Amino acid sequence: GENVEQHPSTLSVQEGDSAVIKCTYSDSASNYFPWYKQELGKRPQLIIDIRSNVGEKKDQRIAVTLNKTAKHFSLHITETQPEDSAVYFCAASTSGGFKTIFGAGTRLFVKA
Amino acid sequence: IAGITQAPTSQILAAGRRMTLRCTQDMRHNAMYWYRQDLGLGLRLIHYSNTAGTTGKGEVPDGYSVSRANTDDFPLTLASAVPSQTSVYFCASSEQGPGELFFGEGSRLTVL
């Protein structure tokens, strides 16, 4: 089955700097890659996603890149702000399948 | 407000007892899921359901059962709780898999 690895487990940056979180997946049939943000004590919420027919997607300060050959994808947050502090999860799933498998999460601290 | 409702929010349970976590959605989504969240392990899929009347096993199904009698409800049952089932449980739904997951607020379960 699918396995998703996520690095780093913890990331601390200064406000205004960029943050990058990387994930790898094992199942070459995976074609949907979402990213979720979970604030302390709250539910995970989707922030951006990408499908395998594109290599990059951007939404304001966040962007995701996908390399299907290498089976890895990354989340990029630019101009970080204290409110970006949260746990971020990458995930992978396959078309026609109903299993969205998550990475272990990255706790991001943005220092003011 | 449309969304997913989980109950109970929190529960302390003696080992060996039976427990059912309830999940109801009013978005008419076809797919529903149960995840458990443990520190350092991210979100792990327990069971899922593509549509009413069908269920499937996720990454960690042992000790849990589910049913999907209708579109809206997807209860998770622990037949005989054990301390290793202490966790935060999230129910989620998606319009159709794979796609954005909408999570409930979670149920914190402690098994003593």
Side-chain angles (χ1 to χ4, degrees), chain A residues 5-55:
Chain A
E5 295 193 358
Q6 182 172 347
H7 301 281
S9 57
T10 305
L11 180 59
S12 183
V13 299
Q14 279 298 133
E15 181 178 2
D17 287 350
S18 295
V20 180
I21 302 170
K22 298 181 179 181
C23 290
T24 60
Y25 62 97
S26 61
D27 188 349
S28 57
S30 291
N31 60 1
Y32 176 66
F33 306 94
W35 286 87
Y36 289 82
K37 176 183 180 181
Q38 186 180 29
E39 296 178 349
L40 189 62
K42 297 192 175 180
R43 72 189 83 187
Q45 291 189 297
L46 181 75
I47 55 170
I48 195 168
D49 57 13
I50 191 168
R51 296 191 185 268
S52 61
N53 56 344
V54 297

mmCIF file of all heavy atoms in Angstrom, chain A residues 5-55:
data_model
loop_
_atom_site.group_PDB
_atom_site.id
_atom_site.type_symbol
_atom_site.label_atom_id
_atom_site.label_comp_id
_atom_site.label_asym_id
_atom_site.label_seq_id
_atom_site.Cartn_x
_atom_site.Cartn_y
_atom_site.Cartn_z
ATOM 1 N N GLU A 5 6.166 9.695 3.366
ATOM 2 C CA GLU A 5 7.132 10.178 4.343
ATOM 3 C C GLU A 5 7.261 11.692 4.233
ATOM 4 O O GLU A 5 7.296 12.233 3.119
ATOM 5 C CB GLU A 5 8.485 9.497 4.130
ATOM 6 C CG GLU A 5 8.436 8.000 4.390
ATOM 7 C CD GLU A 5 9.816 7.373 4.491
ATOM 8 O OE1 GLU A 5 10.810 8.105 4.319
ATOM 9 O OE2 GLU A 5 9.875 6.163 4.738
ATOM 10 N N GLN A 6 7.375 12.349 5.379
ATOM 11 C CA GLN A 6 7.361 13.811 5.422
ATOM 12 C C GLN A 6 8.534 14.308 6.261
ATOM 13 O O GLN A 6 8.805 13.775 7.341
ATOM 14 C CB GLN A 6 6.027 14.283 6.020
ATOM 15 C CG GLN A 6 5.848 15.767 6.080
ATOM 16 C CD GLN A 6 4.440 16.177 6.502
ATOM 17 O OE1 GLN A 6 3.516 15.358 6.531
ATOM 18 N NE2 GLN A 6 4.262 17.440 6.807
ATOM 19 N N HIS A 7 9.193 15.357 5.750
ATOM 20 C CA HIS A 7 10.338 15.947 6.443
ATOM 21 C C HIS A 7 10.339 17.468 6.263
ATOM 22 O O HIS A 7 9.940 17.949 5.195
ATOM 23 C CB HIS A 7 11.647 15.379 5.875
ATOM 24 C CG HIS A 7 11.763 13.912 6.000
ATOM 25 N ND1 HIS A 7 12.115 13.290 7.170
ATOM 26 C CD2 HIS A 7 11.529 12.930 5.099
ATOM 27 C CE1 HIS A 7 12.116 11.993 6.981
ATOM 28 N NE2 HIS A 7 11.764 11.732 5.737
ATOM 29 N N PRO A 8 10.806 18.221 7.253
ATOM 30 C CA PRO A 8 11.222 17.748 8.574
ATOM 31 C C PRO A 8 10.023 17.556 9.501
ATOM 32 O O PRO A 8 8.916 17.934 9.139
ATOM 33 C CB PRO A 8 12.104 18.896 9.069
ATOM 34 C CG PRO A 8 11.461 20.103 8.462
ATOM 35 C CD PRO A 8 10.952 19.671 7.117
ATOM 36 N N SER A 9 10.237 17.012 10.662
ATOM 37 C CA SER A 9 9.150 16.860 11.621
ATOM 38 C C SER A 9 8.880 18.171 12.351
ATOM 39 O O SER A 9 7.759 18.426 12.791
ATOM 40 C CB SER A 9 9.456 15.755 12.629
ATOM 41 O OG SER A 9 10.665 16.026 13.298
ATOM 42 N N THR A 10 9.925 18.992 12.477
ATOM 43 C CA THR A 10 9.797 20.306 13.102
ATOM 44 C C THR A 10 10.590 21.313 12.288
ATOM 45 O O THR A 10 11.692 21.006 11.827
ATOM 46 C CB THR A 10 10.317 20.290 14.552
ATOM 47 O OG1 THR A 10 9.649 19.267 15.285
ATOM 48 C CG2 THR A 10 10.090 21.619 15.243
ATOM 49 N N LEU A 11 10.024 22.510 12.139
ATOM 50 C CA LEU A 11 10.686 23.561 11.361
ATOM 51 C C LEU A 11 10.443 24.891 12.041
ATOM 52 O O LEU A 11 9.295 25.234 12.328
ATOM 53 C CB LEU A 11 10.119 23.567 9.936
ATOM 54 C CG LEU A 11 10.669 24.594 8.947
ATOM 55 C CD1 LEU A 11 12.179 24.416 8.765
ATOM 56 C CD2 LEU A 11 9.957 24.469 7.605
ATOM 57 N N SER A 12 11.518 25.612 12.293
ATOM 58 C CA SER A 12 11.410 26.917 12.928
ATOM 59 C C SER A 12 12.031 27.960 12.006
ATOM 60 O O SER A 12 13.168 27.797 11.558
ATOM 61 C CB SER A 12 12.137 26.899 14.282
ATOM 62 O OG SER A 12 11.983 28.128 14.941
ATOM 63 N N VAL A 13 11.276 29.020 11.699
ATOM 64 C CA VAL A 13 11.768 30.074 10.804
ATOM 65 C C VAL A 13 11.454 31.430 11.402
ATOM 66 O O VAL A 13 10.573 31.566 12.270
ATOM 67 C CB VAL A 13 11.128 29.979 9.399
ATOM 68 C CG1 VAL A 13 11.462 28.639 8.749
ATOM 69 C CG2 VAL A 13 9.630 30.190 9.450
ATOM 70 N N GLN A 14 12.170 32.442 10.937
ATOM 71 C CA GLN A 14 11.897 33.819 11.333
ATOM 72 C C GLN A 14 10.758 34.361 10.459
ATOM 73 O O GLN A 14 10.654 34.022 9.264
ATOM 74 C CB GLN A 14 13.114 34.712 11.131
ATOM 75 C CG GLN A 14 14.175 34.654 12.223
ATOM 76 C CD GLN A 14 13.684 35.101 13.580
ATOM 77 O OE1 GLN A 14 13.925 34.432 14.572
ATOM 78 N NE2 GLN A 14 12.982 36.221 13.628
ATOM 79 N N GLU A 15 9.965 35.193 11.054
ATOM 80 C CA GLU A 15 8.895 35.844 10.300
ATOM 81 C C GLU A 15 9.475 36.509 9.055
ATOM 82 O O GLU A 15 10.509 37.202 9.114
ATOM 83 C CB GLU A 15 8.196 36.876 11.177
ATOM 84 C CG GLU A 15 7.048 37.591 10.488
ATOM 85 C CD GLU A 15 6.350 38.587 11.401
ATOM 86 O OE1 GLU A 15 6.786 38.752 12.563
ATOM 87 O OE2 GLU A 15 5.372 39.197 10.962
ATOM 88 N N GLY A 16 8.807 36.279 7.920
ATOM 89 C CA GLY A 16 9.283 36.843 6.667
ATOM 90 C C GLY A 16 10.129 35.899 5.836
ATOM 91 O O GLY A 16 10.259 36.083 4.620
ATOM 92 N N ASP A 17 10.698 34.879 6.492
ATOM 93 C CA ASP A 17 11.484 33.882 5.757
ATOM 94 C C ASP A 17 10.549 32.899 5.063
ATOM 95 O O ASP A 17 9.335 32.883 5.289
ATOM 96 C CB ASP A 17 12.410 33.130 6.704
ATOM 97 C CG ASP A 17 13.578 33.988 7.167
ATOM 98 O OD1 ASP A 17 13.763 35.095 6.599
ATOM 99 O OD2 ASP A 17 14.286 33.566 8.092
ATOM 100 N N SER A 18 11.150 32.044 4.217
ATOM 101 C CA SER A 18 10.391 30.991 3.540
ATOM 102 C C SER A 18 10.506 29.676 4.316
ATOM 103 O O SER A 18 11.477 29.454 5.036
ATOM 104 C CB SER A 18 10.913 30.786 2.116
ATOM 105 O OG SER A 18 10.690 31.928 1.330
ATOM 106 N N ALA A 19 9.497 28.836 4.142
ATOM 107 C CA ALA A 19 9.506 27.503 4.752
ATOM 108 C C ALA A 19 9.212 26.478 3.666
ATOM 109 O O ALA A 19 8.356 26.709 2.798
ATOM 110 C CB ALA A 19 8.449 27.412 5.853
ATOM 111 N N VAL A 20 9.941 25.371 3.711
ATOM 112 C CA VAL A 20 9.748 24.307 2.728
ATOM 113 C C VAL A 20 9.572 22.975 3.448
ATOM 114 O O VAL A 20 10.369 22.624 4.316
ATOM 115 C CB VAL A 20 10.937 24.192 1.753
ATOM 116 C CG1 VAL A 20 10.693 23.064 0.749
ATOM 117 C CG2 VAL A 20 11.170 25.511 1.035
ATOM 118 N N ILE A 21 8.537 22.255 3.099
ATOM 119 C CA ILE A 21 8.265 20.935 3.670
ATOM 120 C C ILE A 21 8.221 19.938 2.510
ATOM 121 O O ILE A 21 7.590 20.221 1.485
ATOM 122 C CB ILE A 21 6.932 20.928 4.430
ATOM 123 C CG1 ILE A 21 6.944 21.979 5.535
ATOM 124 C CG2 ILE A 21 6.647 19.542 5.020
ATOM 125 C CD1 ILE A 21 5.586 22.221 6.186
ATOM 126 N N LYS A 22 8.896 18.800 2.707
ATOM 127 C CA LYS A 22 9.022 17.844 1.611
ATOM 128 C C LYS A 22 8.383 16.503 1.957
ATOM 129 O O LYS A 22 8.446 16.059 3.115
ATOM 130 C CB LYS A 22 10.502 17.632 1.285
ATOM 131 C CG LYS A 22 11.192 18.901 0.818
ATOM 132 C CD LYS A 22 12.634 18.647 0.480
ATOM 133 C CE LYS A 22 13.297 19.937 -0.008
ATOM 134 N NZ LYS A 22 14.720 19.733 -0.386
ATOM 135 N N CYS A 23 7.792 15.886 0.935
ATOM 136 C CA CYS A 23 7.173 14.573 1.108
ATOM 137 C C CYS A 23 7.530 13.654 -0.044
ATOM 138 O O CYS A 23 7.698 14.120 -1.183
ATOM 139 C CB CYS A 23 5.656 14.701 1.204
ATOM 140 S SG CYS A 23 5.096 15.479 2.721
ATOM 141 N N THR A 24 7.651 12.373 0.264
ATOM 142 C CA THR A 24 7.815 11.355 -0.758
ATOM 143 C C THR A 24 6.703 10.333 -0.606
ATOM 144 O O THR A 24 6.183 10.128 0.490
ATOM 145 C CB THR A 24 9.174 10.656 -0.654
ATOM 146 O OG1 THR A 24 9.281 10.031 0.636
ATOM 147 C CG2 THR A 24 10.312 11.654 -0.808
ATOM 148 N N TYR A 25 6.340 9.702 -1.714
ATOM 149 C CA TYR A 25 5.299 8.677 -1.682
ATOM 150 C C TYR A 25 5.798 7.444 -2.408
ATOM 151 O O TYR A 25 6.746 7.504 -3.198
ATOM 152 C CB TYR A 25 3.997 9.208 -2.281
ATOM 153 C CG TYR A 25 4.075 9.623 -3.728
ATOM 154 C CD1 TYR A 25 3.670 8.770 -4.753
ATOM 155 C CD2 TYR A 25 4.530 10.896 -4.078
ATOM 156 C CE1 TYR A 25 3.724 9.153 -6.075
ATOM 157 C CE2 TYR A 25 4.588 11.300 -5.400
ATOM 158 C CZ TYR A 25 4.182 10.429 -6.399
ATOM 159 O OH TYR A 25 4.245 10.817 -7.719
ATOM 160 N N SER A 26 5.162 6.327 -2.160
ATOM 161 C CA SER A 26 5.668 5.072 -2.692
ATOM 162 C C SER A 26 4.854 4.527 -3.866
ATOM 163 O O SER A 26 5.399 3.827 -4.723
ATOM 164 C CB SER A 26 5.712 4.014 -1.579
ATOM 165 O OG SER A 26 4.403 3.775 -1.074
ATOM 166 N N ASP A 27 3.566 4.829 -3.906
ATOM 167 C CA ASP A 27 2.700 4.238 -4.924
ATOM 168 C C ASP A 27 2.683 5.102 -6.184
ATOM 169 O O ASP A 27 2.160 6.217 -6.166
ATOM 170 C CB ASP A 27 1.283 4.095 -4.355
ATOM 171 C CG ASP A 27 0.352 3.302 -5.275
ATOM 172 O OD1 ASP A 27 0.733 3.037 -6.429
ATOM 173 O OD2 ASP A 27 -0.746 2.958 -4.829
ATOM 174 N N SER A 28 3.247 4.605 -7.259
ATOM 175 C CA SER A 28 3.323 5.368 -8.505
ATOM 176 C C SER A 28 1.946 5.640 -9.106
ATOM 177 O O SER A 28 1.812 6.489 -9.987
ATOM 178 C CB SER A 28 4.193 4.630 -9.528
ATOM 179 O OG SER A 28 3.683 3.329 -9.749
ATOM 180 N N ALA A 29 0.911 4.947 -8.615
ATOM 181 C CA ALA A 29 -0.450 5.192 -9.105
ATOM 182 C C ALA A 29 -1.102 6.391 -8.425
ATOM 183 O O ALA A 29 -2.169 6.846 -8.861
ATOM 184 C CB ALA A 29 -1.310 3.952 -8.891
ATOM 185 N N SER A 30 -0.492 6.924 -7.376
ATOM 186 C CA SER A 30 -1.060 8.096 -6.695
ATOM 187 C C SER A 30 -1.091 9.278 -7.640
ATOM 188 O O SER A 30 -0.134 9.522 -8.387
ATOM 189 C CB SER A 30 -0.243 8.448 -5.455
ATOM 190 O OG SER A 30 -0.397 7.452 -4.469
ATOM 191 N N ASN A 31 -2.194 10.002 -7.624
ATOM 192 C CA ASN A 31 -2.307 11.132 -8.548
ATOM 193 C C ASN A 31 -2.985 12.354 -7.940
ATOM 194 O O ASN A 31 -3.336 13.298 -8.648
ATOM 195 C CB ASN A 31 -3.036 10.700 -9.825
ATOM 196 C CG ASN A 31 -4.431 10.199 -9.550
ATOM 197 O OD1 ASN A 31 -4.890 10.179 -8.406
ATOM 198 N ND2 ASN A 31 -5.130 9.802 -10.594
ATOM 199 N N TYR A 32 -3.196 12.347 -6.633
ATOM 200 C CA TYR A 32 -3.790 13.506 -5.968
ATOM 201 C C TYR A 32 -3.017 13.748 -4.682
ATOM 202 O O TYR A 32 -2.854 12.828 -3.870
ATOM 203 C CB TYR A 32 -5.270 13.255 -5.690
ATOM 204 C CG TYR A 32 -5.937 14.367 -4.915
ATOM 205 C CD1 TYR A 32 -6.093 15.635 -5.456
ATOM 206 C CD2 TYR A 32 -6.398 14.143 -3.620
ATOM 207 C CE1 TYR A 32 -6.686 16.650 -4.743
ATOM 208 C CE2 TYR A 32 -6.999 15.156 -2.897
ATOM 209 C CZ TYR A 32 -7.146 16.408 -3.453
ATOM 210 O OH TYR A 32 -7.751 17.413 -2.760
ATOM 211 N N PHE A 33 -2.527 15.002 -4.510
ATOM 212 C CA PHE A 33 -1.613 15.305 -3.416
ATOM 213 C C PHE A 33 -2.077 16.574 -2.698
ATOM 214 O O PHE A 33 -1.749 17.691 -3.108
ATOM 215 C CB PHE A 33 -0.188 15.473 -3.966
ATOM 216 C CG PHE A 33 0.250 14.284 -4.786
ATOM 217 C CD1 PHE A 33 0.081 14.280 -6.160
ATOM 218 C CD2 PHE A 33 0.812 13.172 -4.176
ATOM 219 C CE1 PHE A 33 0.459 13.188 -6.931
ATOM 220 C CE2 PHE A 33 1.189 12.063 -4.925
ATOM 221 C CZ PHE A 33 1.012 12.068 -6.308
ATOM 222 N N PRO A 34 -2.824 16.408 -1.621
ATOM 223 C CA PRO A 34 -3.298 17.580 -0.866
ATOM 224 C C PRO A 34 -2.377 17.903 0.302
ATOM 225 O O PRO A 34 -1.614 17.041 0.777
ATOM 226 C CB PRO A 34 -4.660 17.105 -0.350
ATOM 227 C CG PRO A 34 -4.478 15.627 -0.161
ATOM 228 C CD PRO A 34 -3.485 15.182 -1.214
ATOM 229 N N TRP A 35 -2.481 19.141 0.762
ATOM 230 C CA TRP A 35 -1.782 19.592 1.958
ATOM 231 C C TRP A 35 -2.832 20.157 2.925
ATOM 232 O O TRP A 35 -3.695 20.942 2.527
ATOM 233 C CB TRP A 35 -0.766 20.683 1.629
ATOM 234 C CG TRP A 35 0.446 20.163 0.943
ATOM 235 C CD1 TRP A 35 0.618 19.972 -0.398
ATOM 236 C CD2 TRP A 35 1.679 19.766 1.557
ATOM 237 N NE1 TRP A 35 1.879 19.478 -0.659
ATOM 238 C CE2 TRP A 35 2.553 19.344 0.526
ATOM 239 C CE3 TRP A 35 2.145 19.734 2.874
ATOM 240 C CZ2 TRP A 35 3.850 18.894 0.772
ATOM 241 C CZ3 TRP A 35 3.436 19.286 3.115
ATOM 242 C CH2 TRP A 35 4.273 18.870 2.073
ATOM 243 N N TYR A 36 -2.713 19.747 4.190
ATOM 244 C CA TYR A 36 -3.640 20.204 5.218
ATOM 245 C C TYR A 36 -2.877 20.944 6.305
ATOM 246 O O TYR A 36 -1.740 20.614 6.633
ATOM 247 C CB TYR A 36 -4.381 19.007 5.839
ATOM 248 C CG TYR A 36 -5.388 18.386 4.904
ATOM 249 C CD1 TYR A 36 -5.001 17.471 3.929
ATOM 250 C CD2 TYR A 36 -6.734 18.722 4.987
ATOM 251 C CE1 TYR A 36 -5.924 16.919 3.057
ATOM 252 C CE2 TYR A 36 -7.668 18.175 4.124
ATOM 253 C CZ TYR A 36 -7.251 17.275 3.161
ATOM 254 O OH TYR A 36 -8.172 16.735 2.289
ATOM 255 N N LYS A 37 -3.557 21.939 6.869
ATOM 256 C CA LYS A 37 -3.014 22.703 7.992
ATOM 257 C C LYS A 37 -3.886 22.436 9.207
ATOM 258 O O LYS A 37 -5.126 22.459 9.103
ATOM 259 C CB LYS A 37 -3.037 24.196 7.658
ATOM 260 C CG LYS A 37 -2.588 25.112 8.783
ATOM 261 C CD LYS A 37 -2.720 26.577 8.354
ATOM 262 C CE LYS A 37 -2.290 27.536 9.447
ATOM 263 N NZ LYS A 37 -2.438 28.961 9.044
ATOM 264 N N GLN A 38 -3.233 22.152 10.329
ATOM 265 C CA GLN A 38 -3.979 21.914 11.563
ATOM 266 C C GLN A 38 -3.455 22.827 12.654
ATOM 267 O O GLN A 38 -2.323 22.679 13.114
ATOM 268 C CB GLN A 38 -3.877 20.452 11.992
ATOM 269 C CG GLN A 38 -4.747 20.116 13.196
ATOM 270 C CD GLN A 38 -4.645 18.666 13.603
ATOM 271 O OE1 GLN A 38 -3.624 18.016 13.406
ATOM 272 N NE2 GLN A 38 -5.713 18.118 14.178
ATOM 273 N N GLU A 39 -4.279 23.749 13.078
ATOM 274 C CA GLU A 39 -3.929 24.607 14.198
ATOM 275 C C GLU A 39 -4.206 23.866 15.498
ATOM 276 O O GLU A 39 -4.987 22.908 15.526
ATOM 277 C CB GLU A 39 -4.690 25.924 14.103
ATOM 278 C CG GLU A 39 -4.293 26.719 12.846
ATOM 279 C CD GLU A 39 -5.078 28.008 12.690
ATOM 280 O OE1 GLU A 39 -6.069 28.203 13.423
ATOM 281 O OE2 GLU A 39 -4.697 28.808 11.823
ATOM 282 N N LEU A 40 -3.582 24.316 16.557
ATOM 283 C CA LEU A 40 -3.640 23.622 17.839
ATOM 284 C C LEU A 40 -5.079 23.425 18.300
ATOM 285 O O LEU A 40 -5.843 24.392 18.395
ATOM 286 C CB LEU A 40 -2.851 24.407 18.879
ATOM 287 C CG LEU A 40 -2.631 23.702 20.215
ATOM 288 C CD1 LEU A 40 -1.821 22.423 20.023
ATOM 289 C CD2 LEU A 40 -1.949 24.627 21.203
ATOM 290 N N GLY A 41 -5.449 22.174 18.544
ATOM 291 C CA GLY A 41 -6.778 21.866 19.052
ATOM 292 C C GLY A 41 -7.887 21.922 18.025
ATOM 293 O O GLY A 41 -9.067 21.815 18.380
ATOM 294 N N LYS A 42 -7.528 22.078 16.755
ATOM 295 C CA LYS A 42 -8.560 22.208 15.725
ATOM 296 C C LYS A 42 -8.473 21.066 14.707
ATOM 297 O O LYS A 42 -7.583 20.234 14.755
ATOM 298 C CB LYS A 42 -8.445 23.566 15.040
ATOM 299 C CG LYS A 42 -8.678 24.730 15.996
ATOM 300 C CD LYS A 42 -8.853 26.038 15.266
ATOM 301 C CE LYS A 42 -9.202 27.149 16.230
ATOM 302 N NZ LYS A 42 -9.384 28.452 15.534
ATOM 303 N N ARG A 43 -9.389 21.056 13.801
ATOM 304 C CA ARG A 43 -9.424 20.012 12.788
ATOM 305 C C ARG A 43 -8.494 20.356 11.628
ATOM 306 O O ARG A 43 -8.224 21.528 11.367
ATOM 307 C CB ARG A 43 -10.859 19.861 12.259
ATOM 308 C CG ARG A 43 -11.320 21.014 11.361
ATOM 309 C CD ARG A 43 -12.787 20.954 11.042
ATOM 310 N NE ARG A 43 -13.610 21.541 12.099
ATOM 311 C CZ ARG A 43 -14.922 21.492 12.127
ATOM 312 N NH1 ARG A 43 -15.589 20.858 11.187
ATOM 313 N NH2 ARG A 43 -15.594 22.053 13.108
ATOM 314 N N PRO A 44 -7.977 19.376 10.912
ATOM 315 C CA PRO A 44 -7.183 19.667 9.709
ATOM 316 C C PRO A 44 -8.058 20.309 8.638
ATOM 317 O O PRO A 44 -9.221 19.932 8.459
ATOM 318 C CB PRO A 44 -6.696 18.291 9.259
ATOM 319 C CG PRO A 44 -6.845 17.404 10.446
ATOM 320 C CD PRO A 44 -8.033 17.940 11.203
ATOM 321 N N GLN A 45 -7.459 21.259 7.902
ATOM 322 C CA GLN A 45 -8.177 21.905 6.810
ATOM 323 C C GLN A 45 -7.276 21.990 5.590
ATOM 324 O O GLN A 45 -6.081 22.304 5.713
ATOM 325 C CB GLN A 45 -8.659 23.299 7.228
ATOM 326 C CG GLN A 45 -9.761 23.248 8.284
ATOM 327 C CD GLN A 45 -10.384 24.600 8.551
ATOM 328 O OE1 GLN A 45 -9.702 25.507 8.999
ATOM 329 N NE2 GLN A 45 -11.668 24.731 8.262
ATOM 330 N N LEU A 46 -7.864 21.754 4.431
ATOM 331 C CA LEU A 46 -7.109 21.788 3.178
ATOM 332 C C LEU A 46 -6.629 23.201 2.888
ATOM 333 O O LEU A 46 -7.376 24.158 3.002
ATOM 334 C CB LEU A 46 -8.001 21.314 2.037
ATOM 335 C CG LEU A 46 -7.346 21.266 0.661
ATOM 336 C CD1 LEU A 46 -6.417 20.070 0.564
ATOM 337 C CD2 LEU A 46 -8.402 21.219 -0.439
ATOM 338 N N ILE A 47 -5.338 23.330 2.524
ATOM 339 C CA ILE A 47 -4.827 24.646 2.133
ATOM 340 C C ILE A 47 -4.478 24.701 0.650
ATOM 341 O O ILE A 47 -4.581 25.759 0.029
ATOM 342 C CB ILE A 47 -3.606 25.066 2.976
ATOM 343 C CG1 ILE A 47 -2.490 24.003 2.934
ATOM 344 C CG2 ILE A 47 -4.019 25.362 4.412
ATOM 345 C CD1 ILE A 47 -1.187 24.482 3.560
ATOM 346 N N ILE A 48 -4.062 23.607 0.082
ATOM 347 C CA ILE A 48 -3.737 23.559 -1.335
ATOM 348 C C ILE A 48 -3.631 22.106 -1.758
ATOM 349 O O ILE A 48 -3.347 21.238 -0.929
ATOM 350 C CB ILE A 48 -2.429 24.332 -1.653
ATOM 351 C CG1 ILE A 48 -2.278 24.591 -3.162
ATOM 352 C CG2 ILE A 48 -1.214 23.612 -1.087
ATOM 353 C CD1 ILE A 48 -1.175 25.591 -3.498
ATOM 354 N N ASP A 49 -3.886 21.838 -3.020
ATOM 355 C CA ASP A 49 -3.732 20.474 -3.518
ATOM 356 C C ASP A 49 -3.235 20.519 -4.968
ATOM 357 O O ASP A 49 -3.299 21.558 -5.630
ATOM 358 C CB ASP A 49 -5.022 19.665 -3.409
ATOM 359 C CG ASP A 49 -6.206 20.320 -4.134
ATOM 360 O OD1 ASP A 49 -5.993 21.275 -4.920
ATOM 361 O OD2 ASP A 49 -7.348 19.886 -3.910
ATOM 362 N N ILE A 50 -2.724 19.395 -5.423
ATOM 363 C CA ILE A 50 -2.212 19.319 -6.786
ATOM 364 C C ILE A 50 -2.507 17.942 -7.333
ATOM 365 O O ILE A 50 -2.455 16.942 -6.607
ATOM 366 C CB ILE A 50 -0.692 19.647 -6.837
ATOM 367 C CG1 ILE A 50 -0.219 19.821 -8.280
ATOM 368 C CG2 ILE A 50 0.123 18.595 -6.103
ATOM 369 C CD1 ILE A 50 1.179 20.420 -8.384
ATOM 370 N N ARG A 51 -2.830 17.909 -8.606
ATOM 371 C CA ARG A 51 -3.058 16.618 -9.262
ATOM 372 C C ARG A 51 -1.894 16.330 -10.183
ATOM 373 O O ARG A 51 -1.149 17.229 -10.567
ATOM 374 C CB ARG A 51 -4.396 16.631 -9.997
ATOM 375 C CG ARG A 51 -5.561 16.790 -9.037
ATOM 376 C CD ARG A 51 -6.922 16.565 -9.640
ATOM 377 N NE ARG A 51 -7.966 16.861 -8.659
ATOM 378 C CZ ARG A 51 -8.505 15.957 -7.844
ATOM 379 N NH1 ARG A 51 -8.096 14.701 -7.888
ATOM 380 N NH2 ARG A 51 -9.450 16.310 -6.986
ATOM 381 N N SER A 52 -1.770 15.081 -10.579
ATOM 382 C CA SER A 52 -0.541 14.641 -11.236
ATOM 383 C C SER A 52 -0.363 15.195 -12.639
ATOM 384 O O SER A 52 0.706 15.021 -13.227
ATOM 385 C CB SER A 52 -0.488 13.122 -11.274
ATOM 386 O OG SER A 52 -1.585 12.610 -12.002
ATOM 387 N N ASN A 53 -1.353 15.864 -13.183
ATOM 388 C CA ASN A 53 -1.211 16.384 -14.536
ATOM 389 C C ASN A 53 -0.552 17.769 -14.571
ATOM 390 O O ASN A 53 -0.385 18.357 -15.641
ATOM 391 C CB ASN A 53 -2.563 16.421 -15.247
ATOM 392 C CG ASN A 53 -3.595 17.232 -14.476
ATOM 393 O OD1 ASN A 53 -3.424 17.527 -13.305
ATOM 394 N ND2 ASN A 53 -4.678 17.581 -15.152
ATOM 395 N N VAL A 54 -0.200 18.298 -13.377
ATOM 396 C CA VAL A 54 0.531 19.573 -13.319
ATOM 397 C C VAL A 54 1.741 19.408 -12.427
ATOM 398 O O VAL A 54 1.788 18.541 -11.560
ATOM 399 C CB VAL A 54 -0.359 20.722 -12.807
ATOM 400 C CG1 VAL A 54 -1.507 20.974 -13.748
ATOM 401 C CG2 VAL A 54 -0.871 20.425 -11.410
ATOM 402 N N GLY A 55 2.744 20.286 -12.641
ATOM 403 C CA GLY A 55 3.963 20.184 -11.856
ATOM 404 C C GLY A 55 4.039 21.199 -10.727
ATOM 405 O O GLY A 55 4.829 21.025 -9.805
#
